[in-house]
Structures are given as structure tokens and as C-alpha cells.
């Protein structure tokens, strides 16, 4: 990076923020002095219009356009449902959908289960906050960073050389042969799933832990006086008490899982039969020059996410009414 | 009460620092009464195993990033005690070296910052203005418009990428070229498209969250100011913004980290050169072309992780709140 580059970048950032602040400031200053007649409307416009226009041009219109694009071929010809037929019949595309199903089954269940177990195990223990921070930390870092961290764990060196990847080192230590983890299908998809579980467990753990602490102590005490053991108390008091939180955690992680892109991109770039819908959408639309197929996959992704989001919102609203 | 509403999670109090802040206001009294925990020695062991499993991969990468290249290539990081060696050469190589084979991350680090700061400020300002309008300016259609904005959260950003890129190609490219002609310092491939894209994608969630907070501000405060003759602009700057600061801070941290960690938006809108591409994009490139250069990859990964980790350990209370609130974004 040369000094000129650096200056150029600083000018861009400072200039960009200054122009933005000046425009917003000026608009708000001017509407303050707008003529009395129609002032209310002008003020409303100044506050609301920028955000709404951006949303209209950058989200609503593109979403509609993507939906129509899904019915056109690469050359711009109307081809009806052909792109969707492709997505649901071609072996490669079916593989993508199948992988996505595996992801969305395994990640929410396993990360919620592990997060819940961990939250229960460390509840009220000494150093609870510290233990939480350890597991929550992966939530803070990028999926790209997480991908590299795990690529290192899965690293492969040919037999006879010393393994520097933790997983192969363990395999070799027990007398096995080193495995090319990321190139071996279908094992590689499972190993990629491990990475997202590693990230999402912290989220599940924090939300569920907060929920566990909300269970009235009296209930637990009463159950204890009735002579129940720890497992029975967990099954019959804790679990029903945190049910709404469980639903929210599972649905939220499901949505995140359906949209997973970075992990696949960093670890295999979708090769070796590991691609998922969000990754394939990128590959088709921006690498393979098939915007129609990419758009169709985006629509499929939207349709997959939609019911989960609606369910999630409904649960949240019910909870709010209860409170 | 199991209030796990992501929009306003129960994470109270400023008690304690340096650890994840959880709703634990009743903890002190509970520990006293329920002496017998739900757990057994086995549970403690299981918890320890999980904690180790969750920390070990990151730890291994961190240790490796400080080992000499030759050592990384030939021995596992867990043999650090039998094969000692400590060096900062990897970091020097990825950050400062100007040789063409080096990843030259200094430039990309600057890009990540230059993208993330404005892409946090812009949506926050626009969203708090819109949230104020929805909460405190009465107009016809207010409620259905707000519901529409709320509903936009369900649109995955994949739905917007292709048309938005085409739109930028037609509208923004000429502007970028003009900017480059006027100020030659600014490269043709600049941050403008990626700022705008991040701003747009942040708006639905930001408006929704800030509206939740701004509409809870007591009506008397706003009305009193109005009676004194304050305009909307004055109310917004003097009353709403100061009172909404905690919510704004939480969202700002969430948005900053989201942008910093983002890969997809960058891949599509940054152009991929040193002029504008962020760290995440550079790292992804490196895994593709130099997937075995572990001395570089380990150090490079930590260069990109350092900012999120500082935010995580330094601002944990806001961080957790913001992160949980925005967990479905994307």
C-alpha cells in the first residue's frame, strides 16, 4: 500500500462521511424553516423518504426483479419454469438441495442440544461467565475466520509425513491412515457442518441460559422436595419452562443455516459435492454466468426461509402477549 | 417468564465485566437457596470437554501464527514445547511486506475499516430518522408502511444481489468514474457501491429495532418539547437521539461486526482489488490459491479476527444484546 493509496482511502472515508452529514444536516435544517403551509408533510418526507427510497430501489424492486429473472434464460428468453425444473431434476442441483437439507436438519438440532447441555452443566457454577465467553467467542468472529481455523484442523499431509492437522494427527496416533477430509464426500459436508455448529452453539447457549435463569426457583425447590432426581427436574420443570426459548433458538439457527455461504466458500468453494443453495446461487449467478438459475435458487432460498420466519414471528408475538 | 425476544433481550445491568453478561439479577439469591445444582461430576467433565473442544481450534491457529514457517510445515502446533520457536515474521510478512507474493494485508485491513465505519454510520442515521417518523409523526398509512419495512427482514439478501449489481452498473459506475477523474487519488473501484449495499441491507432491521426503542420514550417528554415550540428536527436531535443512545450503540456494534465479518456483499460489490476489497475477501482468495501456506494463513486469519475479538471482550454487554437482536439478519 503506497502513501497515495492510503490518502485516497482516507479522503474517501472522511469525504463520504462529511458529504453524508452535510446533506442530512442541510435537509433537516431546511425543513425546519419550511413555509408554514405544508410544513408537516415536508418534515415527514425529510425524515422518512431517504430510508424508504433506498429500500424501494435496493430491496423491493430487486426482489421483484429477481423473481421475474428466475423465469428467463441466460440469453433473456422466457423459459417458464425451466430453471426450477433444472434445480429439482439435475443431479448436481439435487445434490445441492440434498446437502442443504442435511445442513438444516443437523445444525439447529445439534447446536441447540450441545448449547442447552452446556448451559445446564455450567449453570450456577464457579466461573460461569468465563465458560460462557469461551463457547460464545466463535459467534464474534467471521465465518471466513472460522473456516480457516477449521481448515487447519482438517489439514492433510500424505502418509509418512508428520500431520499438522489435529484431526489427522489423532487418526495417525491411533494407527489409522490420514484422510483427505475435505475432498472425501459425503464426509466433507458433515465436517463443514461441524464448523457452523461450532459457531451457533454459543448463540443457543446464551439464549437458553438466560431462559433457564428465568425459571422460578420455587418450582425447582418444590420438585426437589417431592424427591425427584436431577434428570426428572430437568425433564419436567426446566424443559417445559424454556420451551418458547427453544423454539426461537431452533428457528433462528435454521434461518442462519439456510443462508450459509461463507463457510462453504472458504473451505471447499462448493467443490467435492459440498455446495448448498446460497453458495450455488452465487456460483451460478456470478461465476457461471447463469443469472436465471441463480435467481431461481434465490427464490427457492426465500421460499425455504419464509415459513420459518413467519413461525418465528408468531411465537415471538405470542410470548409478548403472555408478558 | 421466558422472554427470549431477540428484539429486546433480557440482558440487564452493567454488573461485572469481561464475561458474557446474562440475565442474572436473581442469581445471587438463588445460589444460596438451591445449593444442590442440577449437575453431577459427569456433567462437569462434559462441560469441560465442550469448553476445550470449542477453544482448541482457535488456540491452535493462534499458536501456529507465531511459529516459524518451517516448524509449521513439519510439526503439529501441539509439539510447541518439544519444537520451540517464536517469531513475528509471519505477521510482518502478511501485513507489511510489499513483495508481490505477500498477501499485503495492510491495504485490506484499511479497506475493511473504510467499509465498516461508514456502512455503520449511514444506516444508523437514516434508520433513526425513519424510526422517529414512524414513532412520533402521525400520518396516514404509517402502520402499514411500518409493517412493510418489518416484513422486508424476511427477504434474504440473495434476492437483491443480481438486480442491484446491474443497477449499480448503470447508475453508479459513471459516478465512480467521474469521481476518479476529479480526484485522481480515489480509484475508480471505490467504496461507494459497497457502502450503499450495506446501508440498504441494514435498514429493515435497524428501523425495526430503533423504532421499538424510540417509541418507548415517554410521550410527555416529546409533547412538552412540542408545546415549547420545538420542531421535529429539534426534538429529534435534542431528545430522541440522546435517549436512544443505548439502543443505537448496541445496533452500531452489531452492524459494525456484521459488515466487518461479511463476505458475500463484499464479493459482489467490492470489485475484488486492493482498492476496495476487505480482509474477508482477501482471506478467501488466499485459501483458494495458497491453501497450504499456513504461516501466512494463520497470521492473516488473526489479523482479521483481532478487531472482532477486541469488540467482543471490550464491549461484551452491548455486543451480546446487539448480536442476539440481529441474529436473523442476512
Amino acid at each position: 500500500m503506497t502513501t497515495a493509496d492510503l490518502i485516497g482511502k482516507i479522503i474517501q472515508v472522511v469525504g463520504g462521511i462529511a458529504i453524508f452529514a452535510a446533506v442530512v444536516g442541510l435537509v433537516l435544517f431546511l425543513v425546519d424553516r419550511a413555509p408554514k403551509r405544508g410544513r408537516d408533510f415536508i418534515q415527514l418526507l425529510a425524515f422518512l423518504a431517504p430510508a424508504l427510497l433506498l429500500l424501494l430501489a435496493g430491496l423491493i424492486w430487486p426482489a421483484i426483479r429477481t423473481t421475474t429473472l428466475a423465469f428467463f434464460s441466460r440469453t433473456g428468453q422466457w423459459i417458464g419454469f425451466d430453471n426450477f425444473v433444472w434445480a429439482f431434476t439435475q443431479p448436481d442441483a439435487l445434490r445441492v438441495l440434498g446437502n442443504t437439507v442435511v445442513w438444516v436438519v443437523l445444525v439447529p438440532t445439534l447446536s441447540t442440544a450441545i448449547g442447552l447441555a452446556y448451559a445446564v452443566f455450567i449453570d450456577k457454577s464457579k466461573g460461569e461467565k468465563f465458560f460462557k465467553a469461551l463457547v460464545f467467542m466463535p459467534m464474534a468472529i467471521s465465518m471466513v475466520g472460522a473456516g480457516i481455523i477449521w481448515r487447519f484442523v482438517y489439514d492433510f499431509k500424505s502418509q509418512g509425513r508428520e500431520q499438522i492437522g489435529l484431526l489427522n494427527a489423532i487418526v495417525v496416533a491411533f494407527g489409522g491412515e490420514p484422510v483427505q477430509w475435505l475432498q472425501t464426500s459425503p464426509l466433507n459436508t458433515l465436517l463443514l457442518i461441524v464448523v457452523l455448529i461450532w459457531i451457533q452453539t454459543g448463540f443457543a447457549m446464551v439464549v437458553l441460559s438466560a431462559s433457564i435463569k428465568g425459571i422460578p426457583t420455587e418450582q425447582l425447590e418444590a420438585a426437589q422436595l417431592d424427591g425427584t432426581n436431577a434428570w426428572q427436574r430437568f425433564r419436567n420443570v426446566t424443559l417445559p419452562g424454556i420451551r418458547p426459548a427453544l423454539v426461537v433458538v431452533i428457528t433462528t439457527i435454521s434461518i442462519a443455516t439456510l443462508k450459509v455461504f461463507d463457510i462453504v466458500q472458504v473451505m471447499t468453494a462448493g467443490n467435492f459435492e459440498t455446495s448448498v443453495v446460497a453458495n450455488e446461487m452465487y456460483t451460478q449467478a456470478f461465476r457461471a454466468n447463469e443469472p436465471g438459475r441463480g435467481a431461481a435458487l434465490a427464490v427457492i432460498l426465500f421460499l425455504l426461509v419464509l415459513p420459518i420466519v413467519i413461525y418465528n414471528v408468531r411465537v415471538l408475538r405470542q410470548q409478548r402477549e403472555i408478558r | 417468564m421466558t422472554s427470549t425476544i431477540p428484539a429486546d433481550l433480557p440482558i440487564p445491568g452493567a454488573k461485572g465485566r469481561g464475561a458474557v453478561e446474562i440475565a442474572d439479577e436473581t442469581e445471587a439469591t438463588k445460589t444460596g437457596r438451591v445449593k444442590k445444582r442440577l449437575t453431577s461430576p459427569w456433567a462437569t467433565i462434559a462441560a469441560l470437554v465442550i469448553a476445550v473442544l470449542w477453544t482448541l481450534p482457535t488456540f491452535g491457529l493462534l499458536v501456529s501464527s507465531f511459529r516459524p514457517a518451517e516448524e509449521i510445515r513439519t510439526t503439529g502446533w501441539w509439539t510447541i514445547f518439544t519444537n520451540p520457536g517464536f517469531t513475528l515474521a509471519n505477521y510482518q510478512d502478511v501485513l507489511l511486506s510489499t513483495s508481490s507474493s505477500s498477501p499485503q494485508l495492510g491495504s485490506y485491513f484499511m479497506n475493511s475499516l473504510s467499509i465498516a465505519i461508514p456502512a455503520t454510520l449511514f444506516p444508523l442515521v437514516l434508520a433513526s430518522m425513519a424510526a422517529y417518523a414512524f414513532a412520533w409523526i402521525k400520518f396516514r398509512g404509517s402502520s402499514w408502511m411500518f409493517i412493510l419495512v418489518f416484513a422486508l427482514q424476511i427477504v434474504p439478501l440473495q434476492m437483491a444481489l443480481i438486480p442491484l449489481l446491474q443497477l449499480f452498473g448503470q447508475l453508479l459506475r459513471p459516478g465512480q468514474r467521474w469521481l476518479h477523474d476529479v480526484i485522481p487519488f480515489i480509484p475508480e473501484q471505490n467504496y461507494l457501491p459497497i457502502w450503499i449495499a450495506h446501508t440498504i441491507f441494514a435498514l429493515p432491521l435497524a428501523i425495526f429495532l430503533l423504532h421499538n426503542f424510540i417509541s418507548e420514550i415517554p410521550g410527555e417528554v416529546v409533547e412538552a418539547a412540542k408545546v415549547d415550540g420545538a420542531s421535529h428536527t429539534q426534538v429529534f436531535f435534542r431528545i430522541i437521539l440522546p435517549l436512544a443512545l443505548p439502543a443505537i450503540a448496541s445496533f452500531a456494534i452489531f452492524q459494525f461486526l456484521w459488515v466487518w465479518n461479511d463476505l458475500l456483499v463484499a464479493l459482489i460489490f467490492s470489485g475484488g482489488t486492493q482498492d476496495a476489497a476487505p480482509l474477508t475477501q482477501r482471506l478467501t482468495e488466499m485459501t483458494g490459491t495458497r491453501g497450504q501456506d499456513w504461516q501466512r494463513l494463520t497470521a492473516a486469519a488473526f489479523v482479521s479476527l483481532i478487531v472482532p475479538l477486541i469488540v467482543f471482550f471490550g464491549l461484551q454487554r452491548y455486543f451480546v444484546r446487539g448480536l442476539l437482536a440481529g441474529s436473523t439478519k442476512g
Side-chain angles (χ1 to χ4, degrees):
Chain A
M1 180 170 52
T2 63
T3 324
D5 287 346
L6 188 66
I7 294 172
K9 284 172 185 179
I10 293 173
I11 292 180
Q12 277 191 68
V13 174
V14 175
I17 293 174
I19 292 171
F20 179 80
V23 170
V24 170
L26 194 68
V27 167
L28 289 183
F29 175 80
L30 284 179
V31 296
D32 220 16
R33 273 154 192 65
K36 262 246 147 56
R37 225 167 60 91
R39 176 185 284 183
D40 282 349
F41 181 70
I42 293 173
Q43 283 183 329
L44 175 67
L45 213 60
F47 274 94
L48 209 51
L52 289 187
L53 283 179
L54 277 175
L55 285 176
L56 196 66
L59 217 51
I60 297 173
W61 180 80
I64 295 168
R65 178 108 178 87
T66 299
T67 315
T68 55
L69 258 177
F71 296 95
F72 285 89
S73 76
R74 178 204 327 230
T75 49
Q77 266 170 331
W78 173 267
I79 49 167
F81 281 91
D82 277 11
N83 287 323
F84 292 93
V85 171
W86 166 81
F88 287 102
T89 53
Q90 286 303 303
D92 287 353
L94 277 177
R95 177 104 227 163
V96 169
L97 291 177
N99 282 342
T100 307
V101 171
V102 176
W103 277 81
V104 86
V105 167
L106 288 182
V107 176
T109 44
L110 287 178
S111 37
T112 309
I114 299 171
L116 176 60
Y118 191 73
V120 172
F121 291 161
I122 63 165
D123 196 39
K124 295 173 202 129
S125 69
K126 224 191 251 175
E128 182 181 345
K129 285 181 176 171
F130 174 73
F131 281 115
K132 273 184 184 158
L134 287 186
V135 172
F136 195 64
M137 191 273 294
M139 249 346 250
I141 65 180
S142 61
M143 291 205 193
V144 174
I148 293 179
I149 289 174
W150 282 89
R151 266 178 78 113
F152 194 48
V153 173
Y154 298 149
D155 188 76
F156 166 82
K157 291 266 182 286
S158 50
Q159 205 175 4
R161 293 171 64 194
E162 193 165 353
Q163 298 297 325
I164 65 167
L166 189 57
L167 196 55
N168 268 326
I170 293 171
V171 168
V172 171
F174 282 101
E177 279 182 25
V179 183
Q180 281 191 298
W181 300 111
L182 292 177
Q183 273 92 316
T184 317
S185 174
L187 187 65
N188 49 11
T189 293
L190 296 179
L191 292 173
L192 262 58
I193 287 173
V194 166
V195 183
L196 192 58
I197 293 174
W198 182 72
I199 294 172
Q200 295 289 351
T201 297
F203 170 75
M205 182 265 302
V206 167
V207 175
L208 294 175
S209 172
S211 180
I212 288 172
K213 290 185 193 306
I215 294 174
T217 324
E218 294 74 26
Q219 289 185 10
L220 287 167
E221 281 176 334
Q224 204 172 352
L225 286 176
D226 289 345
T228 52
N229 63 29
W231 171 248
Q232 286 168 324
R233 281 202 297 283
F234 174 73
R235 275 276 324 181
N236 300 318
V237 182
T238 310
L239 218 47
I242 60 168
R243 220 188 78 91
L246 271 177
V247 171
V248 171
V249 166
I250 291 177
T251 49
T252 305
I253 298 181
S254 304
I255 297 166
T257 308
L258 281 171
K259 293 178 184 169
V260 71
F261 165 79
D262 314 24
I263 293 178
V264 178
Q265 192 67 28
V266 172
M267 298 196 72
T268 61
N271 298 317
F272 314 112
E273 306 183 343
T274 54
S275 197
V276 292
V277 171
N279 185 70
E280 197 61 22
M281 182 265 155
Y282 171 77
T283 313
Q284 293 294 337
F286 300 102
R287 288 283 170 273
N289 195 22
E290 289 277 6
R293 288 180 180 176
L297 286 165
V299 172
I300 292 172
L301 185 68
F302 174 64
L303 293 177
L304 287 172
V305 173
L306 193 62
I308 309 178
V309 178
I310 291 174
Y311 182 66
N312 196 340
V313 169
R314 279 185 52 184
V315 172
L316 287 176
R317 285 184 60 176
Q318 279 167 7
Q319 279 181 40
R320 202 163 279 186
E321 275 158 24
I322 292 167
R323 281 198 303 164
Chain B
M1 184 206 74
T2 36
S3 48
T4 35
I5 291 155
D8 46 34
L9 264 140
I11 299 157
K15 299 177 296 178
R17 256 168 234 170
V20 182
E21 288 272 339
I22 308 302
D24 56 357
E25 47 203 339
T26 52
E27 194 183 1
T29 52
K30 265 194 222 160
T31 343
R33 281 191 286 162
V34 186
K35 260 276 144 57
K36 202 157 168 257
R37 279 170 37 212
L38 219 60
T39 53
S40 64
W42 286 109
T44 314
I45 292 170
L48 277 176
V49 169
I50 295 175
V52 169
L53 276 179
W54 253 248
T55 323
L56 212 57
T58 319
F59 182 72
L61 198 78
L62 178 66
V63 169
S64 297
S65 69
F66 290 109
R67 300 181 76 209
E70 194 46 41
E71 298 282 314
I72 298 182
R73 242 197 311 277
T74 53
T75 58
W77 58 267
W78 49 91
T79 64
I80 180 89
F81 292 111
T82 46
N83 302 299
F86 174 87
T87 175
L88 287 173
N90 302 332
Y91 285 93
Q92 200 175 358
D93 177 40
V94 296
L95 272 177
L96 304 173
S97 166
T98 50
S99 88
S100 58
S101 71
S102 146
Q104 308 195 11
L105 288 188
S107 194
Y108 293 88
F109 191 91
M110 188 67 202
N111 289 343
S112 273
L113 270 183
S114 307
I115 291 169
I117 293 171
T120 304
L121 280 176
F122 296 169
L124 265 176
V125 172
L126 296 181
S128 43
M129 282 162 59
Y132 170 72
F134 279 125
W136 294 106
I137 304 181
K138 286 193 183 66
F139 60 99
R140 233 193 299 159
S142 161
S143 57
W144 72 257
M145 257 193 224
F146 182 68
I147 290 172
L148 180 74
V149 171
F150 172 75
L152 279 179
Q153 287 182 71
I154 64 174
V155 179
L157 56 85
Q158 275 87 354
M159 286 287 280
L161 296 179
I162 304 172
L164 203 57
L165 187 66
Q166 291 170 348
L167 193 70
F168 280 178
Q170 288 155 13
L171 295 180
L172 226 50
R173 279 308 287 165
Q176 287 177 275
R177 234 170 264 144
W178 174 82
L179 206 63
H180 174 68
D181 290 340
V182 177
I183 314 173
F185 271 149
I186 294 176
E188 262 191 79
Q189 190 66 57
N190 52 40
Y191 303 127
L192 208 54
I194 196 164
W195 285 343
I196 297 176
H198 274 304
T199 303
I200 291 169
F201 296 144
L203 279 176
L205 180 71
I207 294 175
F208 174 66
L209 289 180
L210 292 178
H211 174 269
N212 281 354
F213 201 90
I214 289 175
S215 61
E216 303 270 300
I217 291 171
E220 301 89 64
V221 182
V222 180
E223 290 309 324
K226 281 286 185 54
V227 169
D228 289 346
S231 67
H232 280 306
T233 308
Q234 284 163 332
V235 172
F236 178 68
F237 279 111
R238 303 238 173 101
I239 296 172
I240 302 294
L241 280 190
L243 287 179
L245 217 53
I248 291 176
S250 288
F251 184 78
I253 290 168
F254 164 76
Q255 171 69 7
F256 179 85
L257 281 185
W258 201 92
V259 174
W260 184 276
N261 288 339
D262 158 79
L263 173 67
L264 181 57
V265 177
L267 273 178
I268 288 162
F269 296 107
S270 82
T273 62
Q274 261 199 40
D275 292 333
L279 279 171
T280 46
Q281 191 171 358
R282 183 60 168 170
L283 286 177
T284 311
E285 256 171 56
M286 285 170 68
T287 58
T289 54
R290 299 159 203 266
Q292 289 301 316
D293 276 5
W294 283 113
Q295 75 280 12
R296 282 191 174 135
L297 270 176
T298 51
F302 261 92
V303 169
S304 84
L305 300 189
I306 192 74
V307 170
L309 288 179
I310 289 173
V311 173
F312 175 62
F313 287 109
L315 301 163
Q316 225 166 47
R317 188 159 56 92
Y318 291 108
F319 172 78
V320 172
R321 204 184 298 169
L323 203 122
L324 298 180
S327 49
T328 53
K329 191 192 162 189

